[in-house]
């Protein structure tokens, strides 16, 4: 199927212009690794390479080292693809075909294979080390891939996952602008929560307060087509590392912690923010002071050429010195972009350096064995002069 002309002439939504700096970086890495083309299946990589954000996980991109990319898109999203994709080569497949009982992924795969064969690509990169996916509590129905997909492009295939991770670690000006939008939406929703949360409200109600504002007001922005919010919320003794939001009541003098993610047209932010309806209790005052000191040291470390392993080490050492040895049990620094969690990851047993153009989430946390504790998290753009905090919502919530 081809894209109807009427779809391609639609001009009521201004899409992002083609990010040539980003695509040139990917192609330079492809030349370095001798790839003729990449076939991307993960929705975040489809977005990254084509600017088309799939509604389902069936869509594919054939991205050549030279020439125009091919987008394989689900037919009901023809208008979305025509409006947003950085290509004129859009090939549509149906979700249901009365002559074909197979699932829609098989029809997408056939179109991608035809595109690869027609252009004579010999060495093709696939996201082999991404494996497959299974549902978790935040995503209702992710797509899984069959054995057929990984053996559909002949013998000249190799893993392109490291290439894409390397390209995505550094953000272009357009990507940073898109991430600022996600950060602004998340902060505005936190201001809405701060103005309306009250003791006795259930954690789930507080989460809905934030999520509703993100989806309703974020999507209403002129520069956003779709904003989605994801939240895990705990209050006072309910604060842990990562557990499901429950129905515990919001505490009066203890923090309610919001572990939150916003996706605005495919680009993300990842925050942990706190609110307290009344004056914070003394023990939380002390914990917040200690955590802010660790946080400040980590932010100061975010300079071009600084060590990623040392970032993890100094955060954990600071938490040890604050009286919480061995904490936290979760990672404390990672990249953010077309996913909420993406490379690079800071780990003291790893390697790598911080580079200008990276956007990193910094998230130190301390937790009490009997329940309760605190975590701080924001996203920081690494510039030549140091770190720039992307969210306007304060980390010292007092």
């Amino acid at each position: 199927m081809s894209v109807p002309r009427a779809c391609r002439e639609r001009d009521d939504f201004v899409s992002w212009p083609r990010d040539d700096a980003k695509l040139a970086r990917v192609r330079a890495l492809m030349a370095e690794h001798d790839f003729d083309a990449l076939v991307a299946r993960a929705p975040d990589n489809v977005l990254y390479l084509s600017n088309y954000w799939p509604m389902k996980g069936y869509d594919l991109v054939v991205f050549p080292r030279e020439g125009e990319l091919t987008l394989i898109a689900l037919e009901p999203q023809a208008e979305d693809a025509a409006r947003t994709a950085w290509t004129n080569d859009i090939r549509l497949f149906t979700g249901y075909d009365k002559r074909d009982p197979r699932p829609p992924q098989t029809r997408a795969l056939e179109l991608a294979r035809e595109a690869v064969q027609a252009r004579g690509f010999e060495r093709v990169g696939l996201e082999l080390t991404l494996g497959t996916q299974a549902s978790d509590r935040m995503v209702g129905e992710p797509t899984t891939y069959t054995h057929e997909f990984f053996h559909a492009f002949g013998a000249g295939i190799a893993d392109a996952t490291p290439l894409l991770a390397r390209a995505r670690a550094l953000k272009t000006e357009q990507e940073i602008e898109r991430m600022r939008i996600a950060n602004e939406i998340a902060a505005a929703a936190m201001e809405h929560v701060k103005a309306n949360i009250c003791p006795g409200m259930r954690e789930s109600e507080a989460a809905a307060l934030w999520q509703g504002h993100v989806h309703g007001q974020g999507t209403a922005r002129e520069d956003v087509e779709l904003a989605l919010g994801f939240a895990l919320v705990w209050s006072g003794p309910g604060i842990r590392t990562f557990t499901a939001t429950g129905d515990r009541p919001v505490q009066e003098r203890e923090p309610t912690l919001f572990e939150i993610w916003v996706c605005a047209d495919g680009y993300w932010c990842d925050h942990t923010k706190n609110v307290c309806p009344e004056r914070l209790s003394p023990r939380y005052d002390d914990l917040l002071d200690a955590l802010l000191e660790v946080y400040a040291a980590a932010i100061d470390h975010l300079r071009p050429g600084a060590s990623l392993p040392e970032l993890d080490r100094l955060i954990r050492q600071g938490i040890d010195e604050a009286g919480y040895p061995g904490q936290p049990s979760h990672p404390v620094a990672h990249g953010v972009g077309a996913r909420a969690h993406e490379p690079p990851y800071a780990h003291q047993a790893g390697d790598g350096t911080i580079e200008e153009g990276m956007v990193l989430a910094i998230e130190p946390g301390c937790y009490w064995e009997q329940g309760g504790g605190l975590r701080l998290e924001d996203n920081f753009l690494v510039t030549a002069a140091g770190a720039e905090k992307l969210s306007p919502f304060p980390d010292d919530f007092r």
Side-chain angles (χ1 to χ4, degrees), residues 75-378:
E75 185 271 336
Q77 276 197 274
E79 289 186 5
D80 292 343
R83 191 170 66 245
T84 62
W86 293 330
T87 183
N88 289 309
D89 186 2
I90 301 174
R91 308 181 189 189
L92 304 176
F93 62 96
T94 57
Y96 174 81
D97 187 327
K98 65 181 181 180
R99 300 161 300 179
D100 184 358
R102 299 175 303 167
Q105 297 98 307
T106 59
R107 291 185 284 279
L109 177 58
E110 286 180 350
L111 290 175
R113 183 163 47 198
E114 289 171 7
V116 167
Q117 292 173 346
R119 296 175 70 172
F121 297 136
E122 295 182 358
R123 183 167 164 81
V124 177
L126 304 179
E127 304 142 314
L128 296 179
T129 51
L130 285 184
T132 187
Q133 303 174 48
S135 291
D136 59 28
R137 290 192 180 189
M138 290 201 309
V139 182
E141 191 183 34
T143 299
T144 57
Y145 293 84
T146 64
H147 177 274
E148 181 185 11
F149 178 90
F150 302 99
H151 297 81
F153 300 98
I157 63 167
D159 186 19
T161 307
L163 182 158
L164 287 164
R166 184 176 164 192
R168 286 174 53 172
L170 301 182
K171 305 301 187 285
T172 62
E173 290 184 8
Q174 184 187 111
E175 290 182 285
I176 293 165
E177 184 178 354
R178 297 175 76 161
M179 295 179 72
R180 289 188 194 281
I181 291 170
N183 275 266
E184 290 169 5
I185 293 170
M190 282 306 305
E191 293 290 353
H192 176 68
V193 167
K194 183 179 177 181
N196 291 280
I197 197 169
C198 58
M201 177 182 287
R202 295 193 304 273
E203 292 168 337
S204 55
E205 290 177 312
L209 194 64
W210 182 85
Q211 289 175 301
H213 194 279
V214 168
H215 189 42
Q217 299 304 311
T219 303
R221 289 175 55 128
E222 292 184 354
D223 53 2
V224 173
E225 187 172 15
L226 176 62
L228 297 173
F230 304 87
L232 297 172
V233 176
W234 315 284
S235 189
I239 295 174
R240 299 287 194 277
T241 50
F242 293 92
T243 58
T245 299
D247 62 353
R248 291 173 291 261
V250 167
Q251 302 299 301
E252 189 172 26
R253 297 194 61 198
E254 297 184 354
T256 297
L257 184 151
F258 285 71
E259 173 65 46
I260 50 177
W261 305 263
V262 168
C263 186
D265 293 335
Y267 272 82
W268 293 73
C269 68
D270 178 9
H271 300 160
T272 306
K273 300 299 181 182
N274 300 272
V275 293
C276 184
E278 303 293 342
R279 182 177 177 84
L280 203 59
S281 67
R283 68 172 186 158
Y284 270 107
D285 256 330
D286 294 341
L287 179 58
L288 179 56
D289 285 337
L291 205 53
L292 283 168
E293 188 173 336
V294 174
Y295 197 50
I299 295 166
D300 187 60
H301 184 80
L302 297 181
R303 299 179 181 276
S307 164
L308 275 169
E310 186 60 29
L311 174 60
D312 181 59
R313 187 178 296 111
L314 74 86
I315 291 174
R316 295 183 185 280
Q317 181 178 335
I319 291 172
D320 283 355
E321 294 171 355
Y324 297 89
Q327 292 204 34
S329 62
H330 55 75
V332 292
H334 62 83
V336 186
R339 285 180 66 98
H341 301 83
E342 65 180 30
Y345 294 91
H347 193 290
Q348 56 191 282
D351 56 18
T353 57
I354 295 168
E355 298 182 50
E356 185 175 355
M358 287 181 174
V359 176
L360 296 173
I362 305 298
E363 51 179 319
C366 301
Y367 310 96
W368 295 317
E369 187 175 347
Q370 69 276 20
L374 270 179
R375 178 164 67 254
L376 306 176
E377 181 183 16
D378 212 308

Side-chain angles (χ1 to χ4, degrees), residues 16-35:
W16 290 92
R18 189 176 63 196
D19 193 343
D20 290 323
K22 179 171 69 174
L23 302 186
R25 181 164 65 236
V26 175
R27 288 190 163 112
L29 290 170
M30 290 172 68
E32 184 179 316
H33 291 268
D34 195 29
F35 281 120

